[in-house]
């Protein structure tokens, strides 16, 4: 199997993006891996701090190992939004392909110092692991935000100079700049009435200034046309989580309502699995044919 770095370089050359989807249990994990395999494209499965705690680090590594063997295909794992050196080292030991070290809530200089320390520590454990750094806080978690709250906090965008300095001083392999997306959705985004927009020019400027591999967090609710332009401008990984969680919950609710007497637990997840797969398929088709 090619490494994640090989897959990213290939995506960068072809101006396509690799989809990143979170999972917190086996139903979503298998649905996501299954669609990637069906489409014949690489995929990154991300596990946030809460998701890692829920499944277990060694359990994640074992599950992915088995899925890689059973399904074939390029399935990579990311420790998403790691906030401490201890968690970063744990991810490196567990065999993750990538970790997102997130000190973006700290002032810029502290973010650089903490990220550089993490890069040095994890590469000493596992030289092949890739590290992504974050500039600019874009909210945390995939909750549904109130409209007013979302509108009241315009988030500053990363500048090309900040991006260049961060890359030089931290030694990260990938960068996630703030370019207009936020984690989570608002009710009007959830209903499809409003879509999130990206600053595509800023993405192009950062790519031009750095040549770096770039990741977009908080991709849920983004207009398709913005994704197309942003991927052509140089985005290499796109994160989708809230859309999956919404699909999962709605699928589960529909299943429970349709079969109130069903008690065979694995049968309760049929609709949740189908709904997650549908989101993943739609997003992967777009990211791989922008
Ligand atoms: Zn994120």
């Amino acid at each position: 199997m090619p490494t994640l770095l090989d897959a990213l370089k290939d995506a960068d050359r072809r101006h396509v993006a690799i989809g990143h989807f979170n999972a917190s249990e086996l139903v979503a994990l298998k649905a996501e891996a299954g669609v990637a395999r069906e489409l014949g494209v690489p995929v990154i499965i991300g596990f946030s701090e809460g998701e890692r705690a829920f499944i277990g680090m060694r359990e994640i590594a074992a599950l992915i190992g088995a899925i890689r063997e059973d399904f074939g295909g390029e399935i990579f794992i990311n420790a998403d939004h790691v906030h401490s050196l201890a968690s970063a080292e744990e991810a490196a030991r567990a065999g993750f392909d990538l970790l997102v070290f997130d000190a973006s809530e700290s002032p810029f200089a502290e973010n650089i110092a903490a990220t550089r320390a993490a890069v040095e520590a994890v590469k000493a454990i596992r030289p092949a692991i890739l590290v992504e750094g974050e500039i600019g806080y874009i909210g945390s978690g995939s909750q549904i935000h109130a409209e007013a709250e979302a509108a009241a906090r315009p988030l500053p965008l990363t500048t090309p100079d900040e991006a260049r300095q961060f890359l030089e001083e931290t030694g990260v392999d990938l960068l996630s700049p703030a370019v207009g997306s936020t984690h989570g959705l608002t009710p009007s985004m959830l209903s499809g009435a409003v879509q999130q927009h990206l600053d595509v020019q800023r993405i192009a400027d950062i790519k031009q200034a750095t040549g770096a591999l770039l990741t977009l967090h908080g991709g849920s609710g983004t207009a398709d046309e913005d994704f197309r332009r942003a991927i052509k401008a140089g985005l290499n990984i796109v994160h989708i989580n809230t859309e999956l969680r919404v699909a999962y919950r709605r699928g589960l609710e529909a299943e429970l309502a349709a079969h109130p007497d069903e008690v065979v637990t694995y049968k309760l997840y049929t609709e949740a699995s189908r709904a997650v797969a549908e989101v993943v398929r739609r997003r992967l088709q777009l990211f791989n044919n922008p």
Side-chain angles (χ1 to χ4, degrees), residues 57 154 175 209:
M57 294 293 273
L175 174 68

Side-chain angles (χ1 to χ4, degrees), residues 39-80:
L39 299 178
V41 297
V43 70
I44 304 170
I45 311 291
F47 300 88
S48 69
E49 203 165 22
E51 289 160 344
R52 293 194 297 278
F54 186 72
I55 309 183
M57 294 293 273
R58 294 178 55 237
E59 287 80 355
I60 291 170
L63 281 170
I64 294 291
I67 287 173
R68 278 175 180 157
E69 283 177 23
D70 292 352
F71 282 53
E74 296 171 57
I75 298 166
F76 302 101
I77 48 174
N78 172 41
D80 208 15

Side-chain angles (χ1 to χ4, degrees), residues 196-263:
Q196 171 172 271
H197 289 285
L198 305 174
D199 192 323
V200 177
Q201 187 56 51
R202 183 61 63 96
I203 294 167
D205 292 346
I206 291 171
K207 191 74 172 189
Q208 175 85 36
T210 65
L213 294 167
L214 300 177
T215 298
L216 181 80
H217 282 255
S220 290
T222 302
D224 284 3
E225 190 50 29
D226 282 41
F227 272 140
R228 283 191 193 96
R229 293 170 49 232
I231 291 167
K232 285 177 187 156
L235 275 189
N236 304 103
I237 298 177
V238 179
H239 281 231
I240 299 289
N241 191 7
T242 311
E243 286 178 7
L244 297 174
R245 288 176 163 181
V246 169
Y248 188 109
R249 182 180 171 125
R250 287 180 177 166
L252 186 57
E253 283 171 345
E255 186 88 40
L256 293 173
H259 305 285
D261 297 324
E262 182 61 77
V263 294

